[in-house]
Amino acid sequence: MLYDTVASKVDVVSDFRIKVVDTVENYTLQYTQTKTNFKPAIDEEHPVFKSANDITLFGLQKLEHKISSFEYAVLVKKQTGLAFELSNQDEYKIFADSMALITVAEVQGVLNKLAARAGQSEVALEKMQRILLPQFEAAQPQMLQAAMNTLNLLLRAYSYEFPLDKSSSEKIMVDPVRELEAEEGVQYPATITLKSSKSKKELSGSSNLYYDNFFIYEQMRLQGLYLENIKAADLSVVENADFVFDTKSSWIKTFESYSNVELPRLKTMNRTTVTFNK
């Protein structure tokens, strides 16, 4: 399916701090990202902006990185192990708005350096605020959802019921991986297989998730994508994960997840390794 190949590798390392502060009705977790090696797609020292969209993307990436340091107070359902609500939304809004103002000023500084090099006039801060702040405001819900999704990824193992010393499979509906570029609200059918084994100190579990490739093909066809000479059997989306729990504390010790996406002209492989420390 790949007519030509462009290979790229991106390694992102992040540290998070998670603390359980309440267990009465739901679990309430304090959660924040303490550091990451993530860098914006556009080099801040030698930026190249080919369009206004590049400037906006640059600003959004910087803003998302700043907001990630916020200490979220997240409600997690005991029954599902999934984060579903932010209990300190007012504080989040105040923090996000303040970071948006700082980010606009930083973007303006980068643009003015470029303007000085080209012998052009500087861009006024008020103009940048009029352009960028509405877009930053519109992006805040997606940034919050991304933070919730990250926590759900870290706590993913708690959303499964692992059968002990055997395996079980069932058909489920899942939120699709981003490579599928699915419409908002559309879930995809998949088959998940779970299994586990227990020793004196550890419980080891694994999940294998296989998307319905015929459904993927139909969704791509409805989106008007080019599928000539492509069959449903050529498409594949697989997500696998291995978990290790401490049987004494019931806390996750480690997990590794792997995803493999094969679509027309695209093959993506992702690996995530998470280690929990007390």
Side-chain angles (χ1 to χ4, degrees):
M1 287 190 295
L2 296 176
Y3 295 89
D4 48 44
T5 302
V6 176
S8 64
K9 179 181 178 182
V10 178
D11 292 321
V12 178
V13 179
S14 300
D15 289 346
F16 300 90
R17 184 175 66 247
I18 303 174
K19 181 180 180 180
V20 180
V21 295
D22 183 39
T23 61
V24 179
E25 183 176 354
N26 299 289
Y27 296 117
T28 301
L29 306 181
Q30 287 182 346
Y31 151 70
T32 189
Q33 181 174 322
T34 57
K35 65 178 181 179
T36 180
N37 70 338
F38 172 78
K39 296 181 180 179
I42 296 175
D43 182 5
E44 188 166 347
E45 294 301 319
H46 304 91
V48 177
F49 299 114
K50 297 180 180 179
S51 68
N53 286 337
D54 285 348
I55 298 173
T56 301
L57 176 61
F58 176 68
L60 287 171
Q61 288 179 332
K62 289 176 67 67
L63 176 61
E64 186 170 18
H65 178 64
K66 292 180 186 300
I67 291 179
S68 67
S69 65
F70 179 72
E71 188 167 72
Y72 302 88
V74 183
L75 300 180
V76 177
K77 289 185 178 180
K78 291 184 177 181
Q79 298 86 345
T80 64
L82 295 175
F84 69 96
E85 185 178 326
L86 186 68
S87 64
N88 58 343
Q89 291 191 33
D90 291 342
E91 291 88 344
Y92 171 81
K93 176 64 176 171
I94 293 171
F95 182 80
D97 287 345
S98 65
M99 291 299 102
L101 289 171
I102 293 173
T103 302
V104 170
E106 290 180 352
V107 174
Q108 180 212 18
V110 172
L111 292 177
N112 284 343
K113 286 182 180 178
L114 291 175
R117 293 172 190 168
Q120 300 173 349
S121 58
E122 292 188 348
V123 181
L125 179 60
E126 294 77 8
K127 180 179 180 180
M128 293 303 302
Q129 289 176 340
R130 288 196 304 271
I131 295 172
L132 292 179
L133 287 181
Q135 299 186 67
F136 289 175
E137 176 82 16
Q140 282 185 24
Q142 288 82 5
M143 292 182 181
L144 175 56
Q145 188 59 55
M148 300 280 275
N149 291 345
T150 299
L151 179 59
N152 279 332
L153 173 64
L154 296 174
L155 302 179
R156 176 176 167 184
Y158 291 112
S159 66
Y160 297 141
E161 294 183 9
F162 291 101
L164 188 60
D165 295 325
K166 58 182 180 180
S167 65
S168 65
S169 299
E170 64 176 316
K171 295 184 182 300
I172 61 173
M173 301 298 292
V174 298
D175 293 323
V177 293
R178 64 178 180 273
E179 287 88 351
L180 291 172
E181 298 183 356
E183 293 184 12
E184 185 175 353
V186 175
Q187 290 192 311
Y188 281 53
T191 300
I192 188 170
T193 300
L194 301 171
K195 60 181 179 180
S196 70
S197 61
K198 185 179 179 182
S199 64
K200 186 175 181 180
K201 295 183 178 181
E202 294 181 343
L203 173 70
S204 300
S206 66
S207 66
N208 304 99
L209 186 69
Y210 295 87
Y211 284 61
D212 185 324
N213 53 354
F214 290 97
F215 186 86
I216 294 174
Y217 181 89
E218 184 61 19
Q219 289 298 304
M220 296 180 73
R221 187 186 66 80
L222 292 174
Q223 293 171 17
L225 299 179
Y226 180 79
L227 293 173
E228 186 176 344
N229 299 323
I230 301 297
K231 302 177 182 178
D234 297 326
L235 311 177
S236 176
V237 178
V238 180
E239 295 181 84
N240 298 324
D242 297 313
F243 307 89
V244 177
F245 297 84
D246 184 316
T247 55
K248 183 178 180 180
S249 66
S250 76
W251 195 248
I252 309 173
K253 296 177 68 175
T254 62
F255 87 75
E256 288 188 297
S257 64
Y258 317 83
S259 69
N260 188 79
V261 179
E262 294 191 39
L263 303 173
R265 305 192 182 193
L266 172 69
K267 182 174 182 178
T268 303
M269 293 174 286
N270 291 311
R271 176 178 177 177
T272 300
T273 302
V274 180
T275 302
F276 292 83
N277 299 311
K278 295 182 180 179

